[in-house]
Amino acid sequence: MRILITGSNGFVGKNLVCELRSKGYEDLYLFDIETEPSLLDSFTKDCEFVFHLAGVNRPKDVDEFMQGNFGFTDILLASLKKNNNTCPVLITSSIQAALDNPYGKSKKAGEDLLFSYAKETGATVHVFRLPNVFGKWCRPNYNSAVATFCHNIARDLPITVNDPEVVMNLVYIDDVLEAFLCALKGDVVKEDGFCRVSTVHTVKLGRIVELLKGFRESRTTLSVPNMANSFEKVLYSTYLSYLPENQFSYPLKMNTDNRGSFTEIIRTAERGQFSVNISKPGITKGNHWHHTKNEKFLVVSGKALIQFRKVGTEEVVDYHVSGEQLEVVDIPPGYTHNIINEGEGDLVTFMWANEPFNPERPDTVFEKV
């Protein structure tokens, strides 16, 4: 399918182009502000679908709103009519089209123009009245508070929050793209004549800032967001995309001694603690048991003997494991246990515990296997 995309170098446009290409669409006509204007006539001759994403939302002069959001739409539709092309046209409008401000008026004018075009030509049109869109590649300090907050907080730069109680309606870029691709295939649900993205997040501005600051501190606290919360999940992904390229990595505290090291990677209140344990050759670690705490061991490099003995009994149960055949070993409560490096090199074991270590309630009783 030959697809024309205006505003192809913008935030939504970049994401859409990448998504279409990943889905196998190759005949893409990309038109942006820097494109030779004469190419528009060539593109509208045989395109089979139009994503009209071009628009103005931060002009130097207020008159540019109408020129960019109405004027260029008029030029695009006139070019389609000139070439007798009645392919479907999808346009991105804004919820502000319902408001009485210069930007909203220009968006409303663009909508009305498209609806009139549909009546005149019989072409199928899809008008998406989008709320605030957020996600990777959105320009900070431009027209997205989320992008600005992500960029600044990731760099310890100041942010301005005039009213933390302001409620924002947000849509995530991936959800927008999903709705666009459905429209491309003719599968779209409209409400009052407008297309909408299925998932809209309603969040207070102060909560967004609170979450983003928590993401920044998570490198120190070793916490991770609540991935069961759909908004936190996609906001965290968005935040990470704004990290400075020289700050993708961060150090961890390694607890080292002559036996090796133990390093905590992640800790959560809901899903426990994840760590990596390194043992030198011949070293035995553990020889303790837990009342309630339970663990999972996964040897990823080296050879190990994991031993168990049920407290109050004498029988020892052996498990020989290695990084050559990955297998998880559960560490049940009530069994004293250890792990012995049987190899000639370092033994590397990933360890998960159902709760972060609490020195005031360690739930660890030392007893040799």
Side-chain angles (χ1 to χ4, degrees), residues 265 274-279 296-304 306 321-329 339 346-351:
I265 301 174
F274 181 61
S275 311
V276 61
N277 184 73
I278 300 176
S279 300
K296 294 179 183 292
F297 289 1
L298 173 63
V299 170
V300 296
S301 181
K303 297 180 179 180
I306 302 176
V321 293
S322 78
E324 296 179 0
Q325 178 60 53
L326 297 183
E327 55 184 307
V328 174
V329 179
I339 182 168
D346 285 352
L347 172 68
V348 182
T349 308
F350 287 170
M351 295 182 173

Side-chain angles (χ1 to χ4, degrees), residues 139-157:
R139 192 195 316 180
N141 302 305
Y142 184 60
N143 67 332
S144 168
V146 172
T148 302
F149 291 162
C150 286
H151 176 272
N152 286 18
I153 290 174
R155 291 163 176 75
D156 290 323
L157 298 175

Side-chain angles (χ1 to χ4, degrees), residues 198-215:
S198 59
T199 301
V200 179
H201 304 280
T202 302
V203 192
K204 289 185 178 180
L205 189 60
R207 177 57 178 163
I208 295 173
V209 173
E210 178 186 350
L211 286 170
L212 292 174
K213 289 183 176 180
F215 298 161

Side-chain angles (χ1 to χ4, degrees), residues 11 33 41 52 97 99 108 132 187 218 230 297 300 332 343 349 357 360-361 365 367:
F11 162 44
I33 192 170
D41 183 64
H52 181 31
L99 303 180
K108 180 65 165 57
N132 297 279
D187 180 17
S218 67
S230 60
F297 289 1
V300 296
T349 308
F357 179 73
E360 296 181 0
R361 298 187 63 183
V365 181
E367 182 177 332

Side-chain angles (χ1 to χ4, degrees), residues 48 62 68 79 101 111 115 132 142 153 178 191 196 206 214 226 231 234 240 262-263 301 322 326 333 335 363:
E48 298 170 275
V62 70
S79 185
N101 60 51
E111 292 177 356
F115 286 132
N132 297 279
Y142 184 60
I153 290 174
E178 182 179 359
E191 180 181 333
R196 304 190 190 279
N226 178 9
F231 178 68
V234 295
L240 291 178
F262 181 84
T263 306
S301 181
S322 78
L326 297 183
Y335 282 83
D363 187 10

